[in-house]
Amino acid sequence: MTTVAMPGRRPGNPCFSSGPCAKRPGWTPEALADAALGRSHRSKIGKAKLKVVIDSTRALLGVPSDYRIGIVPASDTGAVEMALWSMLGARPTTLLAWESFGEGWVTDVVKQLKLDATVLKADYGRLPDLTKIDFTNDVVFTWNGTTSGVRVPNGDFIPADREGLTICDATSAAFAQKLPFDKLDVVTFSWQKALGGEAAHGILILSPRAVERLETYTPAWPLPKIFRMTKGGKLNEGIFKGETINTPSMLAVEDCLDALAWAESLPETLAERSDRNLAVLADWVAKTPWVDFLAEDPATRSNTSVCLKVVDPRVTGASKDEQAAFSKALATRLEAEDAAYDIAAYRDAPPGLRIWAGGTVESADLAVLTEWLDWAFAVTPKPQAAAA
């Protein structure tokens, strides 16, 4: 039996959670010292800080000047729901789902809004057949499946002359993967992913086509106050100038400003950092017989939410419950050693591990993590049913 020695070093930052994600390297609470605490978000200083978040986001992501960017409540979920409830129903809808969050949007549209939508699904690890999408419909999809580690490789499948709107949940893709805004009408994400910011706030980006929909279409259902983006049939422009619908946390705003300033100061993009991080894990997977990517096609492998499956026969020969228990035991053992926090697979996903590799994570920490993964696999008892 091969013995694997416990590694003699630990990651400098063992936070590999897929949300909230690791803070930027070198972050300390002192980064929040200039927060406008106790001040109204409608004060001059409050609105100015919110406007900087919007302007910096536009610059870093390359958002076209005629697209609106708004800060909205309830994280990425709130941003997506605002779009679904405010825009769908004007024409037929197609929904794509290949992991749990995409499935969530299917549930909301079909069961809550009660639209007779076309649903294209795929199992975890795969994409639906993108050639089957009818772009005369409004199309709702996630760019990067956070719980499956499967992303669309690019925007080539979206025609420039589409008739419907494209509504894209990009929460684990923004800042880490190139988003072709000319192909996207609604883009949503939250600060807690690639920026390593605090949760509870979302970003909603609207194309001119999306704004036209809002100003010319009234849904058949009532809209809660926090979903309303128009007044008197016109877009409420204040939302996209820092005048948020509800009260934002100025502490979270300051944290986002810090993350954006850090990203702007880097000699490389957050996407380049994420790609390098994925390469570290890919090199390890290529030489490690007990593990593989959940994403079957390398072109669709996420460079942020990297999902892995255990392929050792002693584990794959066991029941699903035993496989899940083994994967959780790996994650628990690593957490107990302060080597990696929160890397168990998402509760609805197949058994395995999920490692955040976005730009706030250091490549050196991921390299050290792979040593601990090998150690944890070696010392964690394999399922008894497989060993018998």
Side-chain angles (χ1 to χ4, degrees):
M1 178 178 178
T2 301
T3 301
V4 177
M6 177 181 287
R9 54 181 184 164
R10 286 174 169 79
N13 182 359
C15 294
F16 299 106
S17 164
S18 290
C21 301
K23 309 298 286 183
R24 65 158 175 86
W27 184 93
T28 67
E30 283 68 37
L32 309 180
D34 195 41
L37 302 183
R39 296 297 305 274
S40 169
H41 62 294
R42 297 187 179 91
S43 66
K44 184 176 180 180
I45 186 174
K47 287 195 290 187
K49 285 181 177 290
L50 290 162
K51 185 65 163 52
V52 173
V53 169
I54 291 171
D55 292 344
S56 295
T57 296
R58 184 182 300 278
L60 279 168
L61 290 181
V63 179
S65 60
D66 57 349
Y67 279 50
R68 270 69 159 204
I69 302 175
I71 299 169
V72 300
S75 196
D76 175 67
T77 300
V80 175
E81 296 286 11
M82 287 177 72
L84 300 184
W85 283 70
S86 298
M87 299 182 196
L88 293 187
R91 61 170 56 238
T93 302
T94 294
L95 300 148
L96 276 61
W98 61 88
E99 49 90 57
S100 59
F101 288 105
E103 287 280 3
W105 308 140
V106 171
T107 296
D108 287 355
V109 172
V110 174
K111 294 187 177 180
Q112 302 301 321
L113 297 182
K114 301 186 184 305
L115 295 179
D116 184 19
T118 298
V119 180
L120 302 178
K121 294 187 178 184
D123 293 334
Y124 277 81
R126 300 177 181 177
L127 283 176
D129 186 347
L130 303 181
T131 66
K132 292 184 177 179
I133 303 172
D134 181 357
F135 282 96
T136 64
N137 293 2
D138 292 332
V139 179
V140 181
F141 69 103
T142 56
W143 190 274
N144 182 101
T146 309
T147 66
S148 69
V150 174
R151 63 176 174 180
V152 294
N154 51 55
D156 293 350
F157 69 100
I158 304 172
D161 61 349
R162 63 193 178 278
E163 295 180 29
L165 298 180
T166 49
I167 299 176
C168 176
D169 174 358
T171 197
S172 293
F175 297 99
Q177 298 161 22
K178 181 175 177 55
L179 299 174
F181 285 97
D182 61 320
K183 300 292 187 73
L184 305 174
D185 295 300
V186 178
V187 176
T188 69
F189 62 89
S190 69
W191 301 339
Q192 64 166 306
K193 298 293 187 181
L195 291 177
E198 294 305 297
H201 300 79
I203 292 287
L204 177 67
I205 302 176
L206 304 179
S207 74
R209 297 176 76 244
V211 173
E212 181 184 21
R213 173 68 62 82
L214 288 170
E215 293 184 338
T216 59
Y217 167 67
T218 301
W221 44 81
L223 288 178
K225 179 180 180 180
I226 62 170
F227 288 178
R228 297 174 202 158
M229 290 182 276
T230 60
K231 286 184 177 180
K234 293 295 182 181
L235 188 72
N236 181 356
E237 295 284 2
I239 296 172
F240 305 94
K241 296 178 181 179
E243 299 170 15
T244 56
I245 294 175
N246 70 333
T247 305
S249 162
M250 297 311 294
L251 197 63
V253 168
E254 196 67 27
D255 189 60
C256 182
L257 287 170
D258 173 74
L260 290 166
W262 169 75
E264 290 170 342
S265 73
L266 293 172
E268 58 189 343
T269 66
L270 292 179
E272 289 170 333
R273 287 175 62 91
S274 300
D275 286 344
R276 185 169 66 247
N277 287 344
L278 173 60
V280 170
L281 293 174
D283 288 346
W284 170 71
V285 169
K287 64 183 180 183
T288 305
W290 63 265
V291 71
D292 200 358
F293 288 97
L294 183 58
E296 297 177 1
D297 181 355
T300 69
R301 289 173 185 164
S302 171
N303 63 350
T304 54
S305 53
V306 180
C307 295
L308 303 171
K309 58 185 178 182
V310 178
V311 294
D312 185 281
R314 292 169 293 177
V315 178
T316 58
S319 68
K320 287 294 184 182
D321 286 345
E322 289 172 315
Q323 292 179 46
F326 177 78
S327 296
K328 289 178 181 178
L330 286 179
T332 299
R333 189 177 293 272
L334 290 166
E335 184 162 344
E337 295 292 341
D338 295 319
Y341 301 145
D342 310 317
I343 66 168
Y346 189 72
R347 60 181 180 269
D348 296 332
L353 302 171
R354 182 174 60 158
I355 300 166
W356 185 258
T360 58
V361 174
E362 298 279 35
S363 296
D365 286 341
L366 286 167
V368 175
L369 171 62
T370 63
E371 299 172 7
W372 281 94
L373 288 166
D374 283 329
W375 171 81
F377 178 79
V379 301
T380 302
K382 310 305 181 286
Q384 291 300 309

